[in-house]
Amino acid sequence: MIRIEIDEDRCVGCLECVDVCPTGVIINKNNKPFVENAERCIGCLSCSYVCRADAIKHEGIHVEEKIVKSVYIEEKIERFV
Amino acid sequence: MIIEPVTRIEGNAVIEVKDGRVYFKVLEFRGFEKFLEGRSFEFVPMITARICGICPVSHSIASARAIENAFEIEISERVEDLRRILLLAQTLQSHALHIFFLALPDYFKSDSFEGVPKDLVKLGVEMRKIANEIVGRIAVRPVHPEVIVGGVARDLDRDYSNELKTILNGLKENLDKFEFLKEGEVLNETAYLSLNSKGVIDFYGESLVGYDGEIFEFGFNEYSEHLVEKVESFSFTKFPYLRGKVCRVGPLARLNLTKVDTDLARELSEEFKDIRHETLLYNYARLVEIVYSIEKILEIMGNLRGGEIRQRVEPKAGEGVGVVEAPRGTLIHHYEFDEKGLVRRANLIVPTTINNTAINEDLTATYKKGKENFEMIVRAYDPCLSCSTH
Amino acid sequence: MKIGIVKLASCSGCQIALLDTHEKLLEIADKVVYAPLIKDARELPDCDVVLVEGAVRTEHELEVLKRARERAKKLVAFGSCSALGGISGMGSIYKPEKLIEDIYGRDLDYKLLDFAYPIDRFVEVDYYLPGCPPTPELISKFIDGILNGRVERHDYPVCAECGRLVVHTKIDNIKKTELPDPKVCLLSQGYVCLGSVTRGGCRAICTKAGVPCRGCRGPTDKVMVMPCKDYLTELHDRIERIAGFDVKFNDVASIYAFVFTSDMMDKLVSRIKEVIRKGRRGGRA
Ligand code: SF4
Ligand code: SF4
Ligand code: SF4
Ligand code: SF4
Ligand code: SF4
């Protein structure tokens, strides 16, 4: 089961995650994103991809690995503080 | 003989003695005048701030002023006051850095500020702190500030007068400890250049005043008739001359050419009644200006004038010159814009560039006198080499 | 612990920001063994940490950098100039000969490198501390982290710290110098704010003061990782979505101001290459 958490402090309310989710997991509730149907999530990570505030965290799938990284870049990125 | 790198100054430089002359070689370069071409006007103050980490405020205000002149925009009285406060606060910060951290170690025969009495360093730190806070309040942060074309970033909504008064009192108690700053000898008699408003010192002044044996005034747009730059291949910094004479700008020039209009600073500036040429007196002049900055900020903050702090800016084709007094002297920005508000041509004349000729002459004069305190002479100018080559 | 500070093509702003940590500076002053700005030492000794400020623009600077790498256990790219090219990197838009010719009108005794490179083009870098300059708070935290061996990363964008909220609107032109609404996201008001593509950690000081983020901390992890994410495409996309406005940037270079020569921005969709190509062919970029 995938758990999705939206960090409210970080979220700026652009609702791009709502637009982008192919399965309607995240909905618009009073102009704020709200995780309504987590069980429908297919783990595509589109929402976290578009989120400008890096506010959406998924747990329960090997999500991070889904992002294609080149080894060289990844090693370097880890050194940016 | 080669001194490498010259220390306790901003930037990378080498002093080299060769065939009876001393060369002050500046070894860094970035090319602002060229890559400013094509930039849209709203980014220009943000980019020019990055010319220098010690006096970014002066660069961004000078370029904002030049842009406003080019687009024929009026700024409100409040913005004018806030910009004056910005320039003075930065001067306080920069002079405190120079005196307490860079220059005093020479007088205490030490190689860094750790050899300077702790209470003096403390005073310097306090000055820098409050100055930074004021700049941060109006312009986001001390390095690098954001000055918006036609205005400033944020209004001043806090009163800093108590802190400033405490520092001024602390400085008053210690003034007699600085008598040694009045020592120095004449190395070269030079011309001088400064901004002023009706003969009075003003960092955001309205016209330029020069001295080459006699005093003469001129407007911003005429700067290129009086100030001509030459190029020598050994340095990335150019060599300007005022009406053909070696010229100096900065604290010494300001106090030589203008009257000071705050109480204590006026008293202290008596020293500069006649034109003084001693290079090391730059350090004393800096102390006087520290007092002046604090007093003047208090005065302006006490009765800030009103007006909008930002406005809509419509670009148009044209040319504009903006001049301010930076801590190290007269700073000139000159831009030409196309109708979209993109820079077509940029010319910057920076205080340390103007002083560069004098620094080289002074070093040679020192050498001819058989002395070797080259670095102390260079430091008196508080040169900023990132600025000078830009 | 021995700390050295080396300056290349830069403005010294990062070193001044280090001085602006005030108390922290007095605390670490005795650990700083080499820093021409404040101390008289002329030779860089072997150090535990060397902070390198500035991009590499001349051959002389390249030598200094290589020496710094030899003497440093840990080498830190201090500030955006050294981590990403920074403002110094903008000089790379033009050919070096053209820069010298147009500014000086004659040859000088020194040679420029072809570009103003970030230091990782030539040496291995252990930490990057981007920011123009990094805020004194970031610097303090970083130094503490180095001293006790735990350096904290900031992998989130500026938006996450900003506190402004997006409102969906319809605008018809870009705003530049006006006073913005204090609570609403600057992008949805029509200001070109780079917060969403820029690494956080600065506490969004600029947007909190009503000034759009200029991107001084460089790209976020996400922008670095994704080959198809780029400043311009992202900004264009966002402004279109939340403000219904098809923006045309007439000064592309200023949007990339801090990242010109960084490998991290070497992407197919990026317009940096186009700007440089134009400039080097003699046009106005
Ligand atoms: S995309 Fe991110 S910032 Fe935008 S509404 Fe969703 S969670 Fe909030
Ligand atoms: S990961 Fe994909 S399916 Fe899951 S919530 Fe996000 S956008 Fe929807
Ligand atoms: S990163 Fe910014 S503050 Fe630091 S040296 Fe470069 S231009 Fe100056
Ligand atoms: S785009 Fe800018 S103003 Fe909008 S939320 Fe992000 S940082 Fe804040
Ligand atoms: S808000 Fe943007 S421009 Fe301002 S300090 Fe942070 S990263 Fe730099």
Side-chain angles (χ1 to χ4, degrees):
Chain A
M1 166 87 178
I2 295 176
R3 284 180 304 284
I4 307 166
E5 229 172 78
I6 298 183
D7 185 337
E8 278 188 31
D9 290 339
R10 286 190 180 185
C11 173
V12 295
C14 64
L15 299 180
E16 291 193 29
C17 49
V18 178
D19 290 347
V20 83
C21 179
T23 55
V25 174
I26 308 179
I27 61 157
N28 172 356
K29 201 166 175 184
N30 304 328
N31 279 332
K32 280 199 179 125
F34 182 75
V35 183
E36 174 86 341
N37 317 301
E39 71 283 357
R40 278 203 233 151
C41 175
I42 54 171
C44 68
L45 295 185
S46 308
C47 55
S48 111
Y49 173 91
V50 295
C51 177
R52 65 160 87 182
D54 219 348
I56 311 178
K57 291 274 167 300
H58 296 67
E59 259 180 60
I61 42 169
H62 43 287
V63 273
E64 295 302 310
E65 277 70 27
K66 284 208 168 184
I67 300 168
V68 190
K69 292 182 189 175
S70 100
V71 178
Y72 165 70
I73 290 231
E74 187 178 18
E75 196 180 78
K76 215 158 132 178
I77 289 174
E78 289 297 317
R79 298 179 185 178
F80 274 82
V81 295
Chain B
M1 189 183 93
I2 293 182
I3 303 179
E4 180 181 13
V6 182
T7 58
R8 279 186 280 127
I9 60 166
E10 194 288 331
N12 296 335
V14 170
I15 294 175
E16 190 176 337
V17 184
K18 211 166 83 188
D19 311 330
R21 272 198 67 90
V22 187
Y23 297 92
F24 183 66
K25 301 180 168 179
V26 182
L27 301 180
E28 52 177 283
F29 171 79
R30 285 171 298 159
F32 276 82
E33 277 164 330
K34 186 72 191 157
F35 66 70
L36 275 171
E37 289 177 11
R39 303 291 70 76
S40 184
F41 72 92
E42 77 269 26
F43 294 114
V44 172
M46 162 311 247
I47 293 173
T48 54
R50 268 86 185 171
I51 290 173
C52 175
I54 307 181
C55 56
V57 170
S58 314
H59 283 285
S60 34
I61 295 187
S63 57
R65 204 174 189 189
I67 297 167
E68 286 146 15
N69 287 342
F71 297 167
E72 294 174 10
I73 290 166
E74 295 280 328
I75 55 166
S76 71
E77 289 179 326
R78 191 168 193 88
V79 169
E80 210 180 303
D81 281 353
L82 290 173
R83 285 188 181 176
R84 265 198 194 99
I85 294 182
L86 279 177
L87 288 167
L88 290 165
Q90 179 196 249
T91 302
L92 175 60
Q93 180 272 120
S94 166
H95 283 1
L97 173 69
H98 179 259
I99 291 209
F100 296 99
F101 290 83
L102 311 186
L104 275 192
D106 281 330
Y107 294 90
F108 287 95
K109 309 262 172 295
S110 166
D111 66 350
S112 85
F113 66 91
E114 287 164 283
V116 177
K118 286 266 169 328
D119 54 328
L120 292 185
V121 173
K122 187 94 200 313
L123 195 63
V125 169
E126 291 300 321
M127 280 177 195
R128 298 196 65 242
K129 240 186 185 167
I130 183 76
N132 279 347
E133 225 179 291
I134 295 174
V135 175
R137 198 58 230 164
I138 307 174
V140 185
R141 52 178 174 170
V143 259
H144 285 296
E146 285 282 353
V147 173
I148 310 291
V149 178
V152 293
R154 189 158 47 180
D155 208 352
L156 187 68
D157 49 9
R158 242 206 76 191
D159 186 22
Y160 292 93
S161 41
N162 284 340
E163 289 101 318
L164 284 170
K165 278 182 192 143
T166 319
I167 287 174
L168 189 57
N169 288 335
L171 186 60
K172 269 186 203 156
E173 280 163 26
N174 285 301
L175 270 184
D176 52 325
K177 290 192 191 150
F178 291 100
E179 282 298 312
F180 53 75
L181 289 183
K182 290 185 187 166
E183 290 158 19
E185 57 180 336
V186 179
L187 294 166
N188 283 299
E189 298 200 353
T190 63
Y192 292 96
L193 177 69
S194 165
L195 263 191
N196 77 135
S197 291
K198 303 188 180 61
V200 178
I201 184 168
D202 187 352
F203 283 68
Y204 200 68
E206 54 200 31
S207 67
L208 287 152
V209 50
Y211 168 89
D212 65 344
E214 57 183 290
I215 300 264
F216 55 97
E217 273 210 46
F218 54 100
F220 293 177
N221 293 337
E222 295 146 33
Y223 81 91
S224 55
E225 291 161 27
H226 299 272
L227 211 53
V228 178
E229 290 185 308
K230 294 201 177 121
V231 175
E232 303 270 0
S233 67
F234 67 83
S235 181
F236 275 118
T237 302
K238 294 181 189 174
F239 293 77
Y241 293 83
L242 182 73
R243 290 188 166 179
K245 290 215 170 65
V246 178
C247 170
R248 294 197 277 190
V249 291
L252 185 65
R254 284 192 287 258
L255 296 185
N256 268 339
L257 296 181
T258 60
K259 286 198 203 58
V260 178
D261 62 344
T262 61
D263 300 336
L264 181 57
R266 186 187 304 123
E267 245 171 68
L268 295 173
S269 65
E270 281 295 300
E271 199 78 19
F272 302 90
K273 259 204 322 280
D274 313 314
I275 303 269
R276 299 287 298 264
H277 292 290
E278 293 92 323
T279 299
L280 284 182
L281 263 192
Y282 260 104
N283 290 330
Y284 184 68
R286 226 161 258 133
L287 185 71
V288 178
E289 285 195 344
I290 285 186
V291 176
Y292 166 76
S293 310
I294 303 179
E295 287 183 323
K296 195 73 188 175
I297 296 176
L298 279 168
E299 184 188 314
I300 301 177
M301 255 182 352
N303 37 42
L304 264 185
R305 293 175 293 172
E308 291 296 323
I309 62 156
R310 294 222 207 152
Q311 57 179 303
R312 191 180 166 77
V313 171
E314 288 299 342
K316 64 175 195 183
E319 257 184 80
V321 181
V323 187
V324 299
E325 278 296 318
R328 289 158 193 74
T330 311
L331 169 64
I332 304 171
H333 280 220
H334 179 185
Y335 306 106
E336 200 183 307
F337 286 96
D338 66 11
E339 64 293 336
K340 280 199 219 138
L342 302 183
V343 177
R344 213 184 263 150
R345 217 168 46 82
N347 185 27
L348 317 173
I349 301 187
V350 181
T352 301
T353 315
I354 304 179
N355 281 338
N356 184 36
T357 326
I359 293 176
N360 278 280
E361 296 290 326
D362 272 8
L363 288 178
T364 303
T366 312
Y367 177 73
K368 291 204 169 121
K369 286 196 164 141
K371 292 198 175 160
E372 293 209 331
N373 58 343
F374 297 135
E375 282 185 288
M376 192 163 168
I377 296 292
V378 171
R379 274 175 210 135
Y381 287 92
D382 188 11
C384 172
L385 308 179
S386 309
C387 275
S388 76
T389 59
H390 45 274
Chain C
M1 172 74 78
K2 283 191 196 155
I3 303 175
I5 303 172
V6 171
K7 175 191 185 302
L8 310 176
S10 71
C11 78
S12 289
C14 293
Q15 296 184 62
I16 298 297
L18 174 65
L19 298 186
D20 290 347
T21 57
H22 305 300
E23 276 78 21
K24 181 108 248 132
L25 170 77
L26 300 183
E27 198 184 306
I28 62 160
D30 58 327
K31 299 193 178 69
V32 178
V33 290
Y34 178 85
L37 179 65
I38 48 171
K39 292 208 167 170
D40 279 356
R42 305 225 194 260
E43 269 292 310
L44 179 69
D46 285 328
C47 288
D48 297 291
V49 183
V50 172
L51 306 175
V52 181
E53 177 201 75
V56 192
R57 181 79 254 197
T58 63
E59 284 168 357
H60 171 77
E61 282 156 4
L62 183 54
E63 276 167 41
V64 173
L65 173 65
K66 288 193 172 143
R67 210 176 316 137
R69 180 66 268 189
E70 279 165 24
R71 311 258 158 98
K73 280 205 193 108
K74 292 246 180 285
L75 191 79
V76 181
F78 184 34
S80 293
C81 286
S82 110
L84 304 155
I87 283 282
S88 312
M90 270 189 127
S92 312
I93 300 176
Y94 299 97
K95 283 195 183 133
E97 309 85 60
K98 181 86 179 144
L99 284 175
I100 295 288
E101 191 195 308
D102 281 12
I103 293 176
Y104 297 98
R106 61 171 283 184
D107 281 348
L108 299 185
D109 299 348
Y110 312 101
K111 254 185 85 82
L112 297 182
L113 300 180
D114 204 21
F115 286 77
Y117 296 102
I119 63 172
D120 61 4
R121 179 66 60 112
F122 303 104
V123 297
E124 169 109 11
V125 173
D126 296 295
Y127 292 106
Y128 298 80
L129 180 56
C132 186
T135 54
E137 187 200 347
L138 265 170
I139 298 175
S140 286
K141 269 206 297 198
F142 177 73
I143 289 176
D144 283 343
I146 287 262
L147 291 179
N148 59 33
R150 263 197 316 272
V151 177
E152 187 193 336
R153 296 193 66 233
H154 302 84
D155 54 357
Y156 47 83
V158 173
C159 289
E161 298 179 312
C162 166
R164 288 172 178 265
L165 287 183
V166 172
V167 173
H168 289 250
T169 48
K170 181 96 186 83
I171 53 165
D172 50 16
N173 64 7
I174 285 293
K175 293 209 188 82
K176 290 172 177 168
T177 56
E178 297 89 326
L179 195 64
D181 182 298
K183 295 223 170 65
V184 176
C185 167
L186 294 168
L187 267 187
S188 41
Q189 298 184 59
Y191 297 85
V192 179
C193 178
L194 266 65
S196 58
V197 286
T198 301
R199 184 176 299 276
C202 62
R203 298 195 186 273
I205 39 177
C206 302
T207 66
K208 280 183 183 148
V211 179
C213 171
R214 314 288 191 189
C216 84
R217 288 257 295 150
T220 55
D221 282 8
K222 229 182 220 172
V223 175
M224 287 178 174
V225 162
M226 313 254 186
C228 50
K229 265 201 178 204
D230 176 61
Y231 282 15
L232 280 187
T233 52
E234 287 290 298
L235 287 176
H236 190 277
D237 211 43
R238 297 222 151 94
I239 295 179
E240 175 125 49
R241 257 189 235 238
I242 56 180
F245 178 60
D246 183 10
V247 49
K248 263 219 177 59
F249 301 99
N250 63 2
D251 174 13
V252 171
S254 294
I255 297 192
Y256 293 109
F258 298 93
V259 294
F260 254 91
T261 42
S262 172
D263 287 355
M264 295 299 184
M265 299 299 285
D266 191 6
K267 306 163 182 257
L268 275 178
V269 289
S270 161
R271 284 180 66 191
I272 294 177
K273 284 188 194 127
E274 177 194 318
V275 170
I276 292 182
R277 212 179 303 127
K278 211 159 123 197
R280 296 204 162 217
R281 283 206 186 124
R284 183 142 57 82

